[in-house]
Amino acid sequence: MPTDVPYAADAELSLSYDELEVLRRQFQKEEEEGHVTTQTKFNYAWGLVKSPQREQQVLGVRLLQEIYKTEPKRRRECLYYLALGHYKMGNYEDAKKFNALLIEKEPTNMQAQSLETLIDNSVAREGYIGMAIAGGAAALGTLLLAGLIRKAVRKPQ
């Protein structure tokens, strides 16, 4: 998923296993103690969203959504990573929704603007792929129908 968009580097860069492991251990330690701080949850979610593994991205998005719902003062900082997480999972409509909220709050945010470009490019690419598949299916259907008609016309009576 390489990009020429300079501010969307988070779309490509992942943490190393060891870096993510530090965040996971801190999260689990606090969880075992009965209280996970918002910052620890955010840090772990941030690391998970950057992961190339879908299951980690899903968990990261879930944690960010929890913060977004329960911590109004932290919503703005969650928006970009919610948009990024949904983008990386291919949930482009949700990615657009969260990114649009961020751009509404911060119209000059270069990360959000570059992520918007990546999302739009991916939506367009998927549209082209969808059209190609639909066109191929239509052509195949036409060939099958033509074959059936030819066979029916040639049938001896």
Side-chain angles (χ1 to χ4, degrees), residues 88-157:
K88 289 182 75 172
M89 292 186 298
N91 302 334
Y92 301 127
E93 287 306 310
D94 288 332
K96 283 176 83 85
K97 177 182 74 173
F98 285 112
N99 203 52
L101 288 170
L102 180 54
I103 289 174
E104 183 180 305
K105 292 177 186 289
E106 297 180 8
T108 59
N109 185 313
M110 297 300 289
Q111 278 186 310
Q113 290 173 7
S114 62
L115 183 56
E116 181 178 42
T117 300
L118 290 177
I119 294 166
D120 290 344
N121 290 345
S122 294
V123 168
R125 185 173 44 253
E126 277 201 354
Y128 295 140
I129 291 169
M131 287 188 297
I133 291 170
L140 182 60
T142 302
L143 289 173
L144 289 173
L145 184 59
L148 289 173
I149 291 171
R150 229 180 281 138
K151 189 175 182 180
V153 169
R154 290 184 188 168
K155 216 177 208 182
Q157 299 184 5

Side-chain angles (χ1 to χ4, degrees), residues 2-157:
T3 177
D4 294 329
V5 184
Y7 293 98
D10 285 328
E12 299 171 4
L13 301 175
S14 300
L15 298 182
S16 71
Y17 173 82
D18 291 336
E19 291 169 324
L20 187 57
E21 188 62 17
V22 167
L23 298 174
R24 185 187 67 77
R25 282 191 197 132
Q26 181 64 32
F27 181 82
Q28 285 183 329
K29 177 184 173 214
E30 290 183 20
E31 200 170 42
E32 289 166 6
E33 293 171 353
H35 178 70
V36 178
T37 65
T38 301
Q39 189 61 51
T40 294
K41 185 184 276 190
F42 179 84
N43 292 346
Y44 186 44
W46 166 80
L48 290 167
V49 162
K50 293 169 67 73
S51 170
Q53 296 178 17
R54 184 174 174 85
E55 61 274 0
Q56 290 182 342
Q57 295 165 358
V58 169
L59 176 57
V61 165
R62 185 178 59 78
L63 293 173
L64 286 167
Q65 286 173 328
E66 289 174 11
I67 296 168
Y68 187 84
K69 289 176 185 172
T70 61
E71 302 288 336
K73 292 180 180 176
R74 303 292 296 263
R75 286 184 178 158
R76 195 224 46 85
E77 65 187 309
C78 288
L79 287 174
Y80 175 75
Y81 289 103
L82 281 165
L84 179 66
H86 282 291
Y87 164 75
K88 289 182 75 172
M89 292 186 298
N91 302 334
Y92 301 127
E93 287 306 310
D94 288 332
K96 283 176 83 85
K97 177 182 74 173
F98 285 112
N99 203 52
L101 288 170
L102 180 54
I103 289 174
E104 183 180 305
K105 292 177 186 289
E106 297 180 8
T108 59
N109 185 313
M110 297 300 289
Q111 278 186 310
Q113 290 173 7
S114 62
L115 183 56
E116 181 178 42
T117 300
L118 290 177
I119 294 166
D120 290 344
N121 290 345
S122 294
V123 168
R125 185 173 44 253
E126 277 201 354
Y128 295 140
I129 291 169
M131 287 188 297
I133 291 170
L140 182 60
T142 302
L143 289 173
L144 289 173
L145 184 59
L148 289 173
I149 291 171
R150 229 180 281 138
K151 189 175 182 180
V153 169
R154 290 184 188 168
K155 216 177 208 182
Q157 299 184 5

